[in-house]
Amino acid sequence: MVDHGVHNLSNLSPNSFINDRYTKEYILLLSLLAALIFLINLMVISLFATRDNLRTKTNTILVSLAWSDMLNGLVVIPLQIMASKHTQEQSLRLASMVLYRFIAVSTMLHILAVILERHICILSPLRYHSLVTKSRVIKTLGFIWFVSICNSVVSLSWISLADEYNHLKQPPGLQESKLLRFELAYTLFTVLLFFVIPLIIMAYSFTKILCEISRHNRRDSELMLESSVRNSSSTDSASGETENRAHQTYRFERKPVLIFLTMLLVFSITWSSWYAQNLILCISPKHYKPVGGRWPAFVRSSTSIINPLLYSLIKKDFRQALKSWLNQIRNLVISRKTSEQDLTSKFTIEA
């Protein structure tokens, strides 16, 4: 895979010391990954569009993330493959670089949005419907896409400085290169604003959410124990049942929250190496040595398939919708086979 911490800095000249050509086997793997990313995210988007019960505020954020992930399989990976075949085409490299940076910021901000939405729902349930409206969710998603696009496109404003270093056989150092200084400032800004700060906010939010769910689960267990050892009046039973249902809501929230926590951990682990690599390249490109070859970048792209698999196979509403959709397909295939068999039998009898 074109390593985007590498090709936007070290490929300043045709004499780049990084070989970006892919093997046929690697291209095949990338193509398979791109196809799976596209198909699985398209499935998520289709389920959301055709099932009314899936059109919740949480799922609206997840489907916006699915569109962003699908862009990775539909555009970003094919551009990487094309850039590896046409190494002199700088336009392919630049387009790939911009979109890769877009994916990095977009994914993090989408996960932050869905965690904050769950934070409000669980910790401020009485204010949730007034604070989190459908229009505010749509505006937030529009803001996420706008910020992600602007943050990725802005780096094109100084990329023309690369022409100053085309004659060099080795990449320049930070002191000699204005381009590297711009890249370093940009990388530090991006890491701080779109990785470290969201990570701190989400770590705090997850802690509060899980503590709140645990508190309600303990209270739920106490209520169940009390109801089993005492003979309550009918009024007490009714009120206890109402309170039980309220606490069950918190218990059911645990699985979605853990799904989002897994998404965050997978993203943070896989993409932190990319941010670290970019910082090393800016500070000391001459001494940079890629670790793991192209596979860390391959794993980063795999997050675009891990995300939809997590919430489509584990999140209850998506899982039920997927099961219903698969049953419909199976019944359709069975009915078609039955019709064909009946038609064949009819022709056999007539003959």
Side-chain angles (χ1 to χ4, degrees), residues 342-351:
D342 291 343
L343 192 60
T344 304
S345 300
K346 181 180 178 181
F347 280 125
T348 303
I349 293 171
E350 288 178 356

Side-chain angles (χ1 to χ4, degrees), residues 41-42 44-45 61-71 308 311:
N41 282 286
L42 181 62
V44 169
I45 293 166
I61 302 172
L62 293 177
V63 167
S64 179
L65 174 59
W67 278 105
S68 176
D69 285 334
M70 191 167 70
L71 188 66
Y311 54 76

Side-chain angles (χ1 to χ4, degrees), residues 83-130:
S84 76
K85 289 184 175 181
H86 308 283
T87 55
Q88 302 303 318
E89 291 291 334
Q90 293 301 315
S91 59
L92 291 175
R93 292 177 177 276
L94 291 178
S96 182
M97 176 195 76
V98 168
L99 287 169
Y100 205 76
R101 290 177 171 185
F102 166 82
I103 296 295
V105 174
S106 171
T107 304
M108 190 59 147
L109 292 183
H110 275 97
I111 297 174
L112 174 63
V114 78
I115 293 306
L116 292 180
E117 185 267 343
R118 288 294 85 195
H119 181 102
I120 296 171
C121 179
I122 294 171
L123 274 75
S124 304
L126 298 179
R127 301 178 60 199
Y128 173 76
H129 292 290
S130 61

Side-chain angles (χ1 to χ4, degrees), residues 6-55:
V6 174
H7 84 241
N8 59 320
L9 293 177
S10 63
N11 290 313
L12 297 177
S13 73
N15 300 315
S16 171
F17 64 100
I18 302 294
N19 180 12
D20 282 338
R21 290 194 177 276
Y22 294 165
T23 62
K24 291 181 180 179
E25 294 79 7
Y26 192 75
I27 290 175
L28 182 62
L29 278 176
L30 272 183
S31 301
L32 178 60
L33 178 63
L36 289 174
I37 288 172
F38 173 73
L39 291 174
I40 291 176
N41 282 286
L42 181 62
M43 177 195 71
V44 169
I45 293 166
S46 300
L47 286 173
F48 179 83
T50 56
R51 308 277 171 165
D52 292 338
N53 65 306
L54 290 181
R55 295 174 194 169

Side-chain angles (χ1 to χ4, degrees), residues 147-202:
V147 168
S148 302
I149 292 170
C150 290
N151 181 75
S152 57
V153 171
V154 72
S155 57
L156 294 176
S157 61
W158 59 78
I159 207 67
S160 60
L161 294 172
D163 294 336
E164 299 177 15
Y165 311 105
N166 283 343
H167 64 285
L168 300 178
K169 293 183 179 181
Q170 292 292 328
L174 186 62
Q175 297 299 322
E176 303 88 31
S177 173
K178 189 183 294 185
L179 172 62
L180 286 179
R181 292 197 292 274
F182 273 119
E183 280 287 337
L184 178 60
Y186 169 83
T187 303
L188 288 172
F189 173 81
T190 304
V191 168
L192 182 64
L193 195 61
F194 300 119
F195 191 79
V196 175
I197 292 177
L199 207 57
I200 293 171
I201 293 172
M202 285 186 278

Side-chain angles (χ1 to χ4, degrees), residues 183-251:
E183 280 287 337
L184 178 60
Y186 169 83
T187 303
L188 288 172
F189 173 81
T190 304
V191 168
L192 182 64
L193 195 61
F194 300 119
F195 191 79
V196 175
I197 292 177
L199 207 57
I200 293 171
I201 293 172
M202 285 186 278
Y204 171 78
S205 185
F206 272 121
T207 303
K208 297 290 286 185
I209 288 171
L210 292 175
C211 286
E212 185 70 7
I213 291 174
S214 297
R215 186 177 71 83
H216 279 271
N217 284 344
R218 287 195 299 271
R219 179 58 180 154
D220 193 21
S221 299
E222 292 171 2
L223 285 172
M224 291 177 66
L225 183 62
E226 289 175 6
S227 63
S228 63
V229 297
R230 72 183 181 188
N231 294 321
S232 306
S233 63
S234 58
T235 305
D236 290 338
S237 296
S239 62
E241 192 175 331
T242 302
E243 194 168 354
N244 255 344
R245 282 198 297 268
H247 287 287
Q248 282 177 357
T249 302
Y250 285 89
R251 190 167 65 248

